[in-house]
Amino acid sequence: MIERFRLDGTTPVWTFACADAQIEKRIWMEPGANTTYVRYALLRGSAPATLALKAVVNYRDFHASTHAGGWRMAVDAIPHGLRVTAYDGARPFAVLAEGTAAAPAHEWYLRYGLAREAERGLDAVDDNLHAGTLRIALAPGASVTVVLSSEDAPSLDGAAAWARRIAHESDVLARWRTAQPAGAPGWVDRLALAADQFVVRRPLTADPGAMSVIAGYHWFGDWGRDTMVSLPGLCLCTGRAEVARHILTTFARFVDQGMLPNVFPDSGEKPEYNTADAALWYFEAVRAYHAATQDAGLVKALFPVLADMIGWHVKGTRYGIGVDAADGLLRAGEPGVQVTWMDAVVGDRVVTPRTGKPVEINALWYNALRAMSSLARVAGQHDATWDQMAGRAAAGFDRFWNEAAGACHDVIDGPAGADPTLRPNQIFAVSLPRARSRRSGSDGWSIPARASS
């Protein structure tokens, strides 16, 4: 039975009782590697205990589910455990415990229920393979660490692996405590540790130190928009500016026709460039990075990329994204395509059509132009063009105001004219650093006072 559950940093820890034996189980991951450690410790007992640990495995994308059928994985006994190869060409993974022999098996356990998939109306049944059993004898006070890894040569030293985990989290907390504002409550330490779990390595051939951000566990990988929106909070507020720097340089490598990928490519896949705001959020992330670090070197290195991005938006890029010369605002979208964050599509139906000039896209566009003007000065590339473009966008933005509703239109110049629907998108017009109304005393466009009250 479970006596207790707790967290040790980010590591879940269970305490089990069986007769007079008490067993502790903890699970953690190796920072920067595809390796998980599971440690069992016999905290007390009048006699040694034998653990029979069944390795139940799967091999699939996180969006998929497995239906076994006649699928037969290759399960091989190797020193200290098992190696599993799901099919020819699949990446092998291992289940290991130092000094332990394992008995291979091949028995499918069928019809695991997946509650969240069921809630979402997805395939909610999954099959998993019992690939083998490890039998481990533990004396009172002793422990054993099981290693689950797809790396070529994972360390089997559980004590050293746990020390590395502690050192990593201690470093995260040390950086946060150096950066944290006075009076921050102690429980924010846990948020700083949680934030670290979203930052991942994305090694590239040309840049082994490349990094990214996971948009959300467990259904999402890394997305351009989500990465740039979250970068200041995950990295700059937590005192990890060097991580932010790696992320910004990583994504700069994937800018194409002025756009940032919506979905960051996995190995062998092409990026998907189908979002209007990811590139605009990139400008805000670079601005926030410089404000926090005063690192002019990175601004100078990225400036040609930033200038090219603006250039593509002026002349027009994919999916109708481009500047309207008539008012300086940014239009976006084509029939059947959704390029804002409200991007749900069911079959061929766009759930929330927003083709035209969306309000938050233009708040971000103005913010990007003002950021570009400031960054150009840092890079020694000042050009009055950026301020002129920003001024035109600011004047054009007055067209969003809907006097009858006392709020902004959600979209203007759409196929059916203006969309007066009240949506939270307009909050960006008063919240972005360089896109506040003049009521707040900034250099933004003139929105009637009621829009910012």
Side-chain angles (χ1 to χ4, degrees):
M1 63 174 288
I2 297 177
E3 279 192 341
R4 184 186 180 199
F5 173 81
R6 63 187 176 91
L7 285 177
D8 185 353
T10 61
T11 298
V13 182
W14 295 263
T15 304
F16 300 91
C18 182
D20 68 347
Q22 188 180 59
I23 298 174
E24 180 188 89
K25 173 185 177 182
R26 62 178 59 217
I27 304 176
W28 71 94
M29 295 191 73
E30 178 77 23
N34 293 309
T35 301
T36 298
Y37 291 91
V38 185
R39 188 174 79 185
Y40 296 90
L42 182 56
L43 302 181
R44 70 163 189 250
S46 58
T50 299
L51 302 180
L53 305 177
K54 287 188 172 183
V56 180
V57 306
N58 209 320
Y59 193 95
R60 61 172 174 80
D61 180 86
F62 53 76
H63 287 302
S65 54
T66 294
H67 300 283
W71 184 5
R72 189 161 190 88
M73 298 189 192
V75 181
D76 300 300
I78 59 175
H80 308 294
L82 303 167
R83 180 178 62 239
V84 181
T85 306
Y87 49 81
D88 290 344
R91 184 172 181 173
F93 58 93
V95 182
L96 307 163
E98 191 169 26
T100 301
H106 198 284
E107 179 185 7
W108 284 100
Y109 291 175
L110 306 178
R111 301 192 62 79
Y112 281 74
L114 305 175
R116 293 296 179 264
E117 275 80 355
E119 289 177 4
R120 290 161 60 93
L122 304 174
D123 183 3
V125 177
D126 202 32
D127 298 342
N128 296 279
L129 178 70
H130 169 213
T133 300
L134 289 73
R135 291 190 176 275
I136 302 167
L138 278 182
S143 66
V144 65
T145 303
V146 179
V147 185
L148 315 168
S149 182
S150 60
E151 303 291 346
D152 292 334
S155 171
L156 302 187
D157 188 335
W162 178 239
R164 290 192 296 272
R165 183 74 227 175
I166 293 174
H168 176 80
E169 294 194 356
S170 295
D171 179 67
V172 170
L173 288 175
R175 291 172 182 272
W176 153 242
R177 288 165 182 164
T178 298
Q180 75 181 74
W187 54 261
V188 181
D189 286 3
R190 193 166 295 282
L191 293 180
L193 288 174
D196 173 61
Q197 297 176 83
F198 291 90
V199 178
V200 296
R201 294 184 183 177
R202 278 292 190 189
L204 303 172
T205 301
D207 184 7
M211 303 187 78
S212 187
V213 171
I214 294 295
Y217 294 103
H218 58 270
W219 278 298
F220 296 105
D222 36 347
W223 297 58
R225 172 195 301 118
D226 303 66
T227 297
M228 297 308 143
V229 169
S230 64
L231 181 144
L234 294 181
C235 303
L236 301 177
C237 293
T238 56
R240 304 177 74 193
E242 79 288 350
V243 174
R245 195 181 208 279
H246 279 303
I247 293 169
L248 292 172
T249 56
T250 296
F251 274 82
R253 294 177 178 275
F254 289 89
V255 173
D256 186 79
Q257 295 184 32
M259 299 177 70
L260 229 61
N262 186 23
V263 179
F264 197 92
D266 284 325
S267 178
E269 296 181 357
K270 292 184 178 180
E272 296 180 22
Y273 295 91
N274 54 3
T275 175
D277 55 337
L280 306 178
W281 279 115
Y282 187 75
F283 283 87
E284 172 56 19
V286 175
R287 183 211 63 79
Y289 172 84
H290 179 259
T293 66
Q294 299 302 303
D295 180 0
L298 182 64
V299 173
K300 292 175 182 178
L302 295 181
F303 191 80
V305 176
L306 298 173
D308 186 63
M309 292 169 79
I310 295 290
W312 271 101
H313 280 71
V314 171
K315 65 185 177 183
T317 184
R318 300 174 177 90
Y319 301 113
I321 299 169
V323 175
D324 185 340
D327 57 13
L329 297 177
L330 203 62
R331 62 181 182 273
E334 295 176 348
V337 178
Q338 181 54 287
V339 294
T340 75
W341 72 273
M342 302 182 72
D343 57 3
V345 178
V346 178
D348 295 328
R349 182 176 71 90
V350 175
V351 176
T352 313
R354 302 184 72 222
T355 298
K357 299 170 183 172
V359 64
E360 83 284 3
I361 297 299
N362 281 282
L364 285 161
W365 171 239
Y366 174 81
N367 188 73
L369 292 170
R370 285 298 188 201
M372 189 64 176
S373 178
S374 297
L375 295 171
R377 289 179 170 86
V378 175
Q381 301 285 338
H382 177 61
D383 187 331
T385 302
W386 317 121
D387 289 321
Q388 293 167 2
M389 292 174 64
R392 294 197 65 235
F397 196 88
D398 287 343
R399 298 184 55 227
F400 278 96
W401 184 247
N402 180 356
E403 185 65 32
C408 288
H409 289 288
D410 187 57
V411 181
I412 61 174
D413 295 343
D419 179 358
T421 306
L422 181 62
R423 297 192 177 108
N425 304 306
Q426 65 184 275
I427 200 66
F428 289 108
V430 291
S431 63
L432 286 163
R434 305 305 298 271
R436 298 187 180 96
S437 72
R438 288 199 180 118
R439 183 183 180 193
S440 66
S442 76
D443 57 357
W445 47 66
S446 177
I447 300 177
R450 285 168 294 178
S452 55
S453 59

